[in-house]
Amino acid sequence: MSTWKRDFASGLIVLVPLIVLLLVVGWIYRQIVAIPLIDTLEPEWLVEPALPLYRVLIALALFTTLVLAVGYFMRTTLGRFMEARLDDAINHIPALRVVYNASKLAVETALSGTDELQKPVHLETWKGIRMTAFKTGKKTRDGRLVLFMPTAPNITSGYVIEVEPERVTDTEETVEEAMTRILSAGFAESAHQIPVEEQTIAEAVDRGDDRVDAE
């Protein structure tokens, strides 16, 4: 790949996620500011330039209070009963149950805080071929590890597999490094990867190839 193409690709890798993040944050901000309930809580003495910030702070305070209240209620017997009934009711709706269960699993995964959850590992699927999977922190009754093997570059799809622990090899990578490699379809640079060009030159040096010196 030529230098300008590599620089252009590197620039896109940096800027596109930032632009998407700013667009999402901007959309969330506009939605919060437009909440009708916030208007009733605005003091009359508040100046116009401070209104957007005030609305965001009030919305965040109300949301935090609601989350704490629901969390406290879920610790009670009635709360757990109502949560079970809600899960059962939504799971009877074909389309919504997929979104509901996926969202609930994503939140539970993000807030679990366990080191083993989603730890990247290598698994030899065919002889001489290994693939990246992630530990889920679960085991089957016969002692097999439950892994999730995502597809690249779309990590929202993949396979849930059950394998013997001795077939799993730790990658010594972070979740971010493994996810970046999968999302980029293997093109992203990583500390655990060696470019093909460098590897070829290193092999030639080990063989004592005179052509390397000539280059």
Side-chain angles (χ1 to χ4, degrees):
M1 180 182 293
S2 60
T3 303
W4 75 269
K5 290 183 179 179
R6 187 184 300 274
D7 293 342
F8 186 78
S10 299
L12 285 179
I13 292 174
V14 173
L15 291 178
V16 170
L18 290 176
I19 293 173
V20 173
L21 179 61
L22 291 175
L23 290 175
V24 172
V25 172
W27 181 85
I28 295 176
Y29 173 79
R30 289 191 298 271
Q31 298 303 314
I32 293 177
V33 171
I35 295 177
L37 177 63
I38 306 300
D39 295 337
T40 62
L41 302 176
E42 293 178 1
E44 297 180 357
W45 51 264
L46 196 65
V47 295
E48 184 66 27
L51 284 177
L53 179 60
Y54 175 82
R55 291 178 178 178
V56 171
L57 293 177
I58 291 298
L60 292 177
L62 292 175
F63 179 74
T64 302
T65 303
L66 178 62
V67 170
L68 291 175
V70 173
Y72 177 79
F73 180 66
M74 287 300 105
R75 295 192 311 182
T76 65
T77 303
L78 179 60
R80 290 190 293 269
F81 174 79
M82 293 186 63
E83 182 184 13
R85 299 284 75 79
L86 177 64
D87 291 345
D88 183 67
I90 295 181
N91 283 327
H92 282 82
I93 306 176
L96 293 182
R97 66 183 179 187
V98 177
V99 178
Y100 177 78
N101 291 327
S103 303
K104 190 171 185 178
L105 179 60
V107 174
E108 291 176 351
T109 299
L111 300 179
S112 62
T114 58
D115 294 334
E116 291 297 319
L117 192 62
Q118 290 191 349
K119 184 176 181 181
V121 295
H122 282 150
L123 178 66
E124 187 172 356
T125 52
W126 296 278
K127 188 175 181 179
I129 299 177
R130 70 183 187 186
M131 300 181 70
T132 301
F134 296 87
K135 289 183 178 180
T136 63
K138 307 293 182 181
K139 286 186 177 181
T140 60
R141 292 183 177 179
D142 57 357
R144 299 189 179 206
L145 296 178
V146 179
L147 307 178
F148 174 68
M149 182 178 294
T151 56
N154 180 18
I155 61 173
T156 59
S157 63
Y159 302 94
V160 177
I161 54 180
E162 304 170 359
V163 298
E164 295 85 356
E166 57 270 14
R167 292 192 57 193
V168 176
T169 305
D170 290 338
T171 63
E172 298 182 357
E173 291 179 312
T174 64
V175 175
E176 290 77 13
E177 288 176 326
M179 279 294 187
T180 300
R181 183 175 63 253
I182 296 173
L183 286 169
S184 65
F187 289 100
E189 295 182 0
S190 172
H192 298 271
Q193 296 177 185
I194 302 175
V196 176
E197 295 84 356
E198 295 181 9
Q199 185 179 23
T200 303
I201 294 176
E203 291 175 351
V205 171
D206 293 338
R207 294 195 306 266
D209 197 336
D210 296 335
R211 290 176 297 179
V212 176
D213 298 332
E215 293 177 357

